[in-house]
Amino acid sequence: MIELEGVPELIDPVMVAAFEGWNDAGDAASGAVAHLDREWKGEVFAALDAEDYYDFQVNRPTVWLDGGVRKITWPTTRLSVVRIGGTKPRDLVLVRGIEPSMRWRSFCNELLGFAHELGVEMVVILGALLGDTPHTRPVPVSGVTSDPDLARTMDLEETRYEGPTGIVGVLQEACTHAGVPAVSLWAAVPHYVSQPPNPKATLALLNRLEDLIDLRIPLGELPEDARAWQLGVDQLAAEDSEVAEYVQTLEEARDTADLPEASGEAIAREFERYLRRRDGGPAGHATESGDAAYLRDLTAGRTWPRPTPTDPPADPAEGSAEAPSAPEDSPSDATPDGPPDPPAGDDPEPGPEA
């Protein structure tokens, strides 16, 4: 029995979770939850015992000074709550942590215990994967669930992935077995510029989360950061003809794949989203697409891979040690009807599972 002290009764709570590591390319997912926590001033009410779930040789604690006194911060997963006011107030339970090293089933059960005690109505898990997507186009975000009824009512994909998985997929399945509605949102990050942060992918996840839970999210400086990030990558690509040619190849493939989506119904749906966001007030809601008003280069000074047009990665699920590739519950933009094949190699990345 989990006892919660100092946590008020919540209004229509939704749990939003993200975990650093395998399922967090470009830190896009963990960055989205951190943004929500920062903008709405979340109050931490619980933290899981790090001794139970983490290998400290993999995720090392950090030492810092507080007024000359040395203190240690241990890697863990923390839960905070934010209350959103307005005409239809509701609460969010934010879960932000690191993919655990061990005891995943116990880890998920502990999170579900909090969800039960808090009366959580739905769990939304954010993830990001590496894919063959150009940085110049809107970030593809896929919503998946293993609940066929939820897939129909919320216009989501019913995932049929089979293969290696991460904590995102395990937690989603644990929710399903416990009878808690669960959805995973996956952003595709360009594999050739995978270094964090990726504010454009973070922005795309927040936009999709807005649509999913019908809640306006203050974006702060994130749209400006996303435009600056894209400008920085544009400048890097322009300095290398091979990279520029490769990006153009990805653009042509993406534009061709998107043509069937340009139906009257799809255009009307996007226009309705635009109107909702525009009428939301001063906080603003920007798309991830390009804009001329770039203000600073957030990628300056970073190294990045230089693939050639004739030798792109064989599968968007293949990633590097710096960022995950196709996560378990994350469908690839190259396969809109389902997740990618399980990744291959010595360092597999998760792909969307159920």
Side-chain angles (χ1 to χ4, degrees):
M1 181 72 174
I2 296 176
E3 296 183 3
L4 300 176
E5 298 181 359
V7 179
E9 183 175 352
L10 304 184
I11 302 173
D12 302 330
V14 172
M15 178 176 282
V16 182
F19 303 95
E20 300 173 17
W22 209 39
N23 298 152
D24 192 23
D27 291 353
S30 58
V33 173
H35 178 88
L36 297 174
D37 190 72
R38 182 170 57 252
E39 290 294 324
W40 278 319
K41 298 177 174 58
E43 297 182 7
V44 175
F45 65 87
L48 306 191
D49 190 341
E51 291 279 350
D52 292 339
Y53 304 116
Y54 294 101
D55 179 346
F56 298 137
Q57 290 183 318
V58 176
N59 297 290
R60 293 186 177 275
T62 56
V63 178
W64 55 289
L65 294 175
D66 181 14
V69 179
R70 291 172 62 84
K71 295 187 176 181
I72 295 178
T73 299
W74 298 92
T76 188
T77 294
R78 294 178 173 83
L79 292 86
S80 59
V81 63
V82 297
R83 172 150 291 177
I84 299 99
T87 56
K88 295 175 60 178
R90 80 176 313 167
D91 297 314
L92 295 183
V93 178
L94 304 180
V95 180
R96 183 186 175 200
I98 305 168
E99 183 177 66
S101 307
M102 62 195 81
R103 302 186 182 92
W104 283 20
R105 286 175 292 185
S106 298
F107 180 87
C108 293
N109 288 337
E110 189 165 354
L111 290 180
L112 283 171
F114 282 108
H116 175 74
E117 291 299 319
L118 294 168
V120 166
E121 297 181 347
M122 182 170 66
V123 175
V124 181
I125 315 166
L126 306 182
L129 58 98
L130 298 180
D132 288 332
T133 181
H135 72 278
T136 54
R137 297 295 185 264
V139 174
V141 178
S142 299
V144 296
T145 180
S146 54
D147 184 335
D149 294 331
L150 197 62
R152 285 192 298 271
T153 57
M154 304 194 75
D155 192 25
L156 301 167
E157 297 179 29
E158 185 180 353
T159 179
R160 300 186 183 279
Y161 170 79
E162 294 179 319
T165 186
I167 192 61
V168 172
V170 173
L171 178 57
Q172 180 167 326
E173 282 307 295
C175 290
T176 300
H177 293 155
V180 179
V183 175
S184 295
L185 299 181
W186 290 96
V189 172
H191 64 83
Y192 57 90
V193 57
S194 60
Q195 296 87 346
N198 189 320
K200 185 173 180 178
T202 295
L203 178 60
L205 282 170
L206 292 174
N207 286 352
R208 184 64 186 271
L209 180 64
E210 268 193 337
D211 293 338
L212 182 70
I213 63 177
D214 192 23
L215 184 67
R216 178 163 176 74
I217 298 173
L219 298 176
E221 298 182 358
L222 195 55
E224 175 190 330
D225 291 342
R227 289 190 292 266
W229 176 88
Q230 182 168 324
L231 175 61
V233 181
D234 286 343
Q235 292 172 341
L236 289 173
E239 296 172 0
D240 190 310
S241 60
E242 292 183 344
V243 172
E245 185 178 350
Y246 179 63
V247 171
Q248 183 178 3
T249 301
L250 293 179
E251 290 172 340
E252 292 171 354
R254 171 70 182 276
D255 294 343
T256 300
D258 285 348
L259 283 177
E261 299 298 324
S263 64
E265 182 180 349
I267 294 172
R269 184 166 57 248
E270 289 303 316
F271 186 63
E272 289 174 357
R273 289 176 179 171
Y274 164 75
L275 291 177
R276 286 200 305 271
R277 293 164 178 169
R278 187 193 63 176
D279 295 339
H285 187 301
T287 63
E288 319 87 60
S289 56
D291 187 293
Y294 302 124
L295 299 180
R296 62 181 180 274
D297 179 1
L298 298 185
T299 63
R302 298 190 182 125
T303 59
W304 65 312
R306 297 171 56 170
T308 67
T310 57
D311 188 26
D315 188 277
E318 295 178 357
S320 67
E322 295 176 336
S325 74
E328 171 230 48
D329 270 347
S330 61
S332 160
D333 56 325
T335 54
D337 294 330
D341 292 333
D346 296 332
D347 185 20
E349 293 299 341
E353 173 201 82

